[in-house]
Amino acid sequence: MPEKNNQPLPLSFRADLLKRMLADLRAGECCSLVGTSGTGKSNVARFLQRQDVQKAYWNDDLRCVILIDSHSLIFDEGQKAEYTVSEMMIHRLLEEVEAYNFSAEFLTWANESYNRPANSSFPLAMRTLQDICRRLCEQYGHQLIFVFDQFDDLWQALDARFFLNLRNLRDQFKYHIVYLVMTRNRLERMRPNAQTVESFWELFSTHTYGLGPYNESDAATMVERLAFRAEVPVSEIPREVVTLSGQHPAILRAIFWACCNSPQESLRADDLLKISSVLKECEKVWNDLSLAEQHLVQIIAQQIPLRYPNAEALNDLRLKGIISSDPPTLFSPLFAAYVLQETQSNASGVVIDPRLRQVRLDGQLLQEPLTPLEFGLLEYLARHSGTVCKREDLLDGLYSEEGPHGKNDQRLDALLSRLRKALGESAQKPRYLITHRGGGIQLLQGHILNADSPHLPPSP
């Protein structure tokens, strides 16, 4: 009987995604793969290393896939992190090329270059990497595809010069050097001062793919593999295991093992969410979403029409496979139940009662009343919760009676600053009031009691 954990994934695995993404990689385009926790980004990375997979998609031996798993890196306190990563790139590159029919002279030269003591600094390590890449690309005509799994931490922590060096390496050899990075969110959303490394992440801007739930074929394959490991007939696995999970890899596995460990366990969503392993996977997906995305997901779970959705958050949810169709629906009945549970148990948000002129923050009544202007601004933002409201519209409503001379950004900024203070947040650490440079102001998780038509009161 074959080893339970040694069943290779079929070549059809994630084919709907890989047909497009691997065509881009072959054409020399850098790609970004975005998926929340549990969607199997590492499985995809390891799948791409298989020789039969490369042969099936590329039908030649000119491409070399070099996997860099960030979680396997060991950082030495005496060395710069940038050196550690570049050294790993060289090490993994040489491991991969040894599988190809290169001359003994090249392999000897490459290993001597790698083991040279003088290379123990980031600039020299990058120079060695550049030299090895030059011979592989220019002399042997190879395309080198560096796959960065678990790229999130590196992207957020490493110095900008590391990514600028990667961009430079790419520029030197053009389409012979390709990067595939795997993260939980879009690159430009994840790094403070992303403008400093824009020349790197712009490589991926037109080739960003989402890794969401399985398609029906892959879900069926995964159930077969799990049943094989558990030594149970596939016919005994309830269909609800797949449908409740929404074909999300990690949630599907959690429900499957919950059923195997407790065959009498109810397959109702509320009961499954009492199982810690199942609840944990739903929490991981939820925690990978931004505040704006969570806000939209809560509205969708409650089946409330999206009147003024945040387009950026909506697009990101579609990219990650969290929502589909139009009007949008959540990918999984179980996750939808989790979101509703989260919404009911968490009283977070700003709730305004215009009739009583009261504001509740996270369920607690604000003790200090807001001024009419502060209340008016917050009320308008709450009526358009999740929407980026233009500064011109806010100024027109707040200072309509004062004419053009009363409408200036400084007054709005001062008012916004006072409102932030009243809500216990700041521009540096916003929670609900988000400022979009050049766009406007957005309130997350704002609710109106006894809502009527949106308005702003005139200046007192």
Side-chain angles (χ1 to χ4, degrees):
M1 184 176 183
E3 289 292 328
K4 294 182 183 180
N5 295 321
N6 195 33
Q7 299 299 302
L9 288 165
L11 291 176
S12 60
F13 176 69
R14 294 287 194 179
D16 46 355
L17 163 71
L18 296 183
K19 283 178 182 177
R20 295 175 292 133
M21 190 173 74
L22 268 61
D24 284 344
L25 292 173
R26 177 172 184 161
E29 300 294 342
C30 296
C31 295
S32 170
L33 186 60
V34 178
T36 58
S37 296
T39 49
K41 296 186 290 294
S42 295
N43 281 345
V44 171
R46 290 190 293 268
F47 187 70
L48 294 183
Q49 280 198 293
R50 283 172 37 182
Q51 293 295 318
D52 60 332
V53 172
Q54 296 173 26
K55 190 73 173 177
Y57 279 97
W58 294 323
N59 198 31
D60 60 43
D61 296 322
L62 294 178
R63 266 148 284 282
C64 181
V65 176
I66 306 102
L67 175 59
I68 313 295
D69 183 354
S70 302
H71 285 183
S72 68
L73 291 166
I74 300 175
F75 294 97
D76 187 339
E77 291 184 3
Q79 290 286 0
K80 293 286 188 182
E82 293 77 25
Y83 164 74
T84 302
V85 181
S86 56
E87 192 270 347
M88 172 63 83
M89 291 177 68
I90 302 171
H91 173 70
R92 289 289 301 115
L93 173 58
L94 294 182
E95 281 188 336
E96 290 299 324
V97 299
E98 285 180 359
Y100 291 81
N101 190 26
F102 289 105
S103 67
E105 178 272 332
F106 169 78
L107 293 174
T108 300
W109 167 82
N111 280 287
E112 287 178 349
S113 299
Y114 169 58
N115 294 316
R116 197 174 297 147
N119 286 338
S120 57
S121 71
F122 171 63
L124 292 174
M126 286 301 299
R127 188 174 302 169
T128 299
L129 177 61
Q130 175 182 305
D131 290 342
I132 296 174
C133 288
R134 176 173 288 108
R135 289 192 65 173
L136 287 170
C137 296
E138 295 181 355
Q139 182 174 339
Y140 294 97
H142 270 263
Q143 183 188 53
L144 307 179
I145 302 174
F146 289 94
V147 178
F148 290 89
D149 188 21
Q150 311 288 349
F151 190 63
D152 308 65
D153 291 342
L154 297 183
W155 177 239
Q156 293 171 326
L158 293 189
D159 190 87
R161 64 177 180 155
F162 174 76
F163 304 108
L164 297 179
N165 271 271
L166 290 187
R167 174 61 197 246
N168 179 60
L169 188 67
R170 155 77 175 187
D171 289 345
Q172 286 188 64
F173 304 108
K174 296 300 181 185
Y175 304 115
H176 286 281
I177 298 290
V178 183
Y179 305 122
L180 169 60
V181 298
M182 301 185 175
T183 57
R184 291 188 294 273
N185 284 293
R186 291 180 185 269
L187 293 176
E188 60 269 32
R189 312 257 202 274
M190 297 172 58
R191 183 180 171 98
N193 301 318
Q195 294 86 350
T196 60
V197 286
E198 183 177 1
S199 64
F200 178 74
W201 60 257
E202 69 179 3
L203 289 171
F204 310 90
S205 59
T206 57
H207 297 91
T208 296
Y209 291 93
L211 185 67
Y214 289 137
N215 61 22
E216 289 187 11
S217 175
D218 285 340
T221 296
M222 190 54 60
V223 170
E224 291 175 2
R225 290 164 62 84
L226 289 169
F228 180 78
R229 290 172 59 192
E231 298 182 346
V232 297
V234 174
S235 59
E236 294 184 7
I237 307 302
R239 177 61 186 168
E240 290 85 352
V241 169
V242 175
T243 55
L244 280 169
S245 71
Q247 302 172 180
H248 182 281
I251 297 177
L252 189 158
R253 285 195 302 272
I255 298 175
F256 175 90
W257 289 113
C259 290
C260 286
N261 294 333
S262 301
Q264 304 306 316
E265 187 69 55
S266 165
L267 283 174
R268 291 179 62 252
D270 291 344
D271 293 326
L272 286 172
L273 289 173
K274 296 174 183 175
I275 302 172
S276 60
S277 58
V278 176
L279 179 64
K280 183 179 179 181
E281 295 304 333
C282 290
E283 287 176 340
K284 286 180 180 178
V285 175
W286 174 258
N287 291 332
D288 278 347
L289 304 180
S290 68
L291 285 174
E293 290 169 339
Q294 289 178 352
H295 174 67
L296 282 179
V297 164
Q298 287 177 318
I299 294 175
I300 294 168
Q302 296 175 80
Q303 299 183 350
I304 299 173
L306 287 174
R307 300 184 186 280
Y308 306 102
N310 180 317
E312 182 179 277
L314 197 64
N315 289 337
D316 285 353
L317 288 172
R318 290 193 186 279
L319 175 72
K320 299 170 188 176
I322 301 298
I323 60 173
S324 61
S325 71
D326 194 16
T329 57
L330 294 178
F331 70 94
S332 155
L334 180 69
F335 185 70
Y338 168 82
V339 173
L340 288 174
Q341 193 177 95
E342 182 76 12
T343 303
Q344 293 165 2
S345 63
N346 183 1
S348 63
V350 178
V351 179
I352 295 178
D353 187 334
R355 185 174 57 84
L356 299 177
R357 297 189 68 79
Q358 288 181 343
V359 177
R360 290 185 179 273
L361 178 65
D362 299 337
Q364 299 296 314
L365 187 66
L366 285 188
Q367 296 304 306
E368 294 295 329
L370 300 178
T371 67
L373 279 175
E374 292 166 356
F375 190 93
L377 174 58
L378 187 60
E379 182 185 355
Y380 184 91
L381 293 171
R383 291 181 185 278
H384 299 81
S385 179
T387 302
V388 180
C389 299
K390 294 180 180 179
R391 299 175 72 91
E392 310 92 87
D393 294 339
L394 294 170
L395 287 167
D396 285 341
L398 284 166
Y399 305 109
S400 59
E401 294 186 356
E402 298 187 24
H405 67 279
K407 302 175 185 178
N408 61 75
D409 280 356
Q410 289 79 10
R411 294 185 72 179
L412 181 58
D413 288 337
L415 178 61
L416 180 62
S417 178
R418 296 197 300 273
L419 184 55
R420 286 190 193 278
K421 186 176 180 180
L423 298 182
E425 60 181 65
S426 66
Q428 292 71 35
K429 293 184 177 180
R431 186 180 180 192
Y432 295 124
L433 284 169
I434 309 297
T435 301
H436 295 262
R437 182 175 298 176
I441 301 169
Q442 178 187 28
L443 177 67
L444 302 178
Q445 291 182 254
H447 309 277
I448 294 285
L449 297 180
N450 304 315
D452 51 18
S453 60
H455 69 281
L456 277 171
S459 174

